[in-house]
Amino acid sequence: MTSCTLKKEERSEHYCESHSSMKIATFKVFRGDINGGAEVEYKVPVEEGMVVLDAIHYVQKNISPDLAVRWNCKAAKCGSCSAEVNGKPRLMCKSRLDDFDLSKEIRVYPMKSFPVIKDLACDVSWNFEVNKKIAPFTPKPDTDWKMSQRDIDRVQEFRKCIECFACQNVCHVIREHDLKPKFAGPRFFVRVAGLEMHPLDTADRLEALKDDMGIGFCNITKCCTEVCPEDIHITDNAIIPLKERVVDRFYDPLKMFFRKIWGK
Amino acid sequence: MSTLDRFEIHEHDVLVIGAGGAGLRAAIEASASGASVGLVCKSLLGKAHTVMAEGGVAAAVANVDKQDNWQTHYKDTIKGGKFLNNWRMAQLHAQESPERVLELERWGALFDRTQDGKILQRPFGGHSYKRLCHVGDRTGLEMIRTLQDRGVHLGINVYMECTITKLLKDDGKISGAFGYWRENGRFVIFKAKSIILATGGVGKAYKVTSNSWEYTADGQVLAYHAGAEFLDTEFIQFHPTGMIWPPGVIGILVTEAVRGEGGILTNREGFRFMQKYDPERMELSTRDVVARAIYTENKEGRGTPHGGAFLDISHKGADYIKKKLPSMYHQFKELADVDITTGPMEVGPTCHYSMGGLRVDAETTSTSVPGLFACGEVAAGLHGANRLGGNSLSDLLVFGRRAGVHAAEYSKKNSTLRKINEQDLQQAEKEMTRFFENEGENPYMVHQDLQELMHNYVGIFRTEDDLKYAIENLKKLKDRAKTVKIDGSRMYNPGWHMAYDLQSMILYSEAIAKCAIQRKESRGAHSRIDYPNTDPECGKWNSIVKKSSDGEMIVEKMQLTEMPQDLKKLFEEKELIKK
């Protein structure tokens, strides 16, 4: 038993009181590692406005302190707590329990497209490797750094990305076909779009998009756009314009003809 | 076989611990000067607290209000800090922040624009002019992403999800750091010629906080055990506007930009109560004043249903709100079922920032331990008794860069890696593995009691009796924390991680409470019910905390260095007397 240093009324309900009058939600959480694992059932008392991450924290605090989960801001700003809730990739901090039918179990699994480390934490390090290969922002020399808001609105949309990697997780090129080394994924098309459409950038990333980042593998099913917690129009505003630029440069029949003649 | 051979070892000229804005900016600068740089962070890269900074970065670039200049920014910072700031840090900060912000733009950051295409600035509490360069209400994300992308192309080695638990010294100088990988619990050693601490604050010691799990006073306590000193730990900033309903979101930050953009605070009677507390600046008063005002309104029975105040921005219209405060709009809509374009938010104070921290040299950011530097929230001095909103993002840029410059320079001058003491390693290892042999309680329970204790007894308003009670109980918590029992293995085990974090939080909490007892006056964020007035005599010293040779915590006063005449001249006579 724990010895209390505080007066009872100073402690929160969670700790000393029972939850007899409260609604209870049943969670089935994946517990395991790269070698396998199993669902473990947890009963969690429901508070008003509770989100799935709160339930996971409840389990950590009261039942299994070794339950592994990533989280930071708890306000959908850092993109750490991505998981699959009832099979759908989402941020746990944004998944309200009142959006679920609590008479049924809620299943919480780690993201499927990345190797699991333990429980809900998986190895997303590949994404950080992809980022390193993207040519950095290269401003025009001698610019006066004046830009109109209208010209940067679109780029600011891309820069809202919180790197939750839900788009990477749901993209079938990665999820079903695991073309990871050849395909950079939606997150990094958004990043490249943010650089390519920056009014003062001069670097050229089209060849890299075609060859190293495999933008051609994307067949615009828009799964990424659907799961984006920041509502970035990944497919329409980033991927399609980039694809068009790649097509213009490399697959325009006239340009291909001239390239054959002049060799560039 | 020597003890050293059992461990994974990495070697760098400069090791940066913490990868928020300050750590990243420091790493970039050190790397650019040719040093080999290792950057260690507890989370994944780009998830540190800087990402949650919303309203903007304060810099007198004078794009909107042409009258603004560094002198005014300096004055605002000192007045906001109630004259307890290190004057030289405040001067460097005000002078250098415009260049640091423009530099971010040159690295690809895209701030909101003025009509003539320059960086747009908004008003904020305690700033005389529109000074906060911003990107809607996600300025921190823009900054951290810009720094992160700049950093990865410079060849900085990033060690993600790694926690440092001990700084290693040889002959009184820094020689490296000991830590563990969160993923598998294996220990790792970093040999380094110099170390920069950029680990942030201590919000997790409080029950209601805007801080994430990472903010557990790691850097402060690592440095304390290595011989560095704390400065002004009693000054903990309670941000006036955190979410207060529903229970799951309590403490989450509501950006000051809501007030900057014209948000109005009212009590349950519909009265705009800031008229009573600061009729001149109203909602744009400093954070200490607004937080106390909300607290007082509640204590006197005029609070809102969930114990806070109403904050209303709906008069600005839906389009404007969605453009300038998009994440606030979504945060309330999705987490609280409140549409802020049509009605008020309910807000209340939340533990947000630690003005105190490690005592550092203003020019170089060095601590009193040779080879050890500190920047960002972990360091103290710039903000005095109360920080102005927007000044932490500029702080981390200005002093992050300075830390990088000087740590790299130190590494060049002390160009051989120093020895790692084997006994220190054995001790560091034992300190982490002993938890598995314990038979005590769950570490989360001790943490919960710590948060309750700090919230109730070392919170916004303090008394001698409460602080004594807190210190007594912190001793008991310290004993309990030593015996917490850990289930499971060392592999990605948050309970084990918490067991270590608890030791740091409790030690630093003790320093907060002890400095709060020593300061028998009210000043800035430190409010004593038993000493409600500001005492000019207490404005002449800072609080200092250090470890004695027998391991006891010593609390004392250190004379403030006097501001030079040319800076004094910026203030009116009466301002200088009133301090």
Side-chain angles (χ1 to χ4, degrees), chain A residues 48-59:
Chain A
E48 189 174 342
M50 200 169 179
V51 293
V52 171
L53 185 60
D54 292 322
I56 296 297
H57 281 163
Y58 177 88
V59 173

Side-chain angles (χ1 to χ4, degrees), chain B residues 16 29 36 45 54 96 106 109 128 141 192 217 223 229 267 269 292 337 387 404-405 416 418 464 515 519:
Chain B
V16 183
E29 200 64 25
S36 132
L45 188 61
E54 294 163 349
E96 293 178 7
R106 296 196 283 272
S128 299
L141 172 67
E229 297 159 344
N267 62 19
E269 294 155 2
R292 271 195 299 270
D337 292 325
R387 176 175 72 78
V405 168
T416 43
R418 305 189 74 84
E464 193 93 3
C515 286
R519 187 167 287 283

Side-chain angles (χ1 to χ4, degrees), chain A residues 125-138:
Chain A
S125 57
W126 168 72
N127 294 289
F128 293 88
E129 293 307 311
V130 176
N131 192 36
K132 284 183 194 166
K133 293 178 195 147
I134 296 171
F137 175 61
T138 314

Side-chain angles (χ1 to χ4, degrees), chain A residues 136-151:
Chain A
F137 175 61
T138 314
K140 280 180 195 158
D142 307 320
T143 171
D144 62 0
W145 295 99
K146 286 197 175 166
M147 290 174 263
S148 79
Q149 184 63 44
R150 204 184 46 222
D151 289 343

Side-chain angles (χ1 to χ4, degrees), chain A residues 2 7 10 15 61 65 70-72 74 77-78 94 96 118 131 134 147 149 156 159 162-163, chain B residues 47 54 112-113 117 142 153 161 212-213 248 331 334 337 441-442 445 448 452 457 491 495:
Chain A
T2 310
K7 290 168 262 175
E10 289 161 6
Y15 188 27
K61 192 166 170 181
R70 284 201 184 99
W71 70 282
N72 282 72
K74 228 182 141 304
K77 291 187 174 65
C78 75
K94 243 183 130 178
R96 292 267 299 256
K118 189 183 152 202
N131 192 36
I134 296 171
M147 290 174 263
Q149 184 63 44
Q156 285 189 326
R159 294 184 69 88
I162 55 174
E163 296 202 323
Chain B
K47 308 296 184 195
E54 294 163 349
D112 287 354
R113 315 310 292 183
E142 185 68 17
H153 288 111
E161 300 200 299
S212 83
W213 66 269
Q331 187 171 306
E334 282 154 21
D337 292 325
E441 61 196 303
N442 170 354
M445 295 302 133
Q448 180 167 290
E452 293 279 349
Y457 295 91
M491 203 175 147

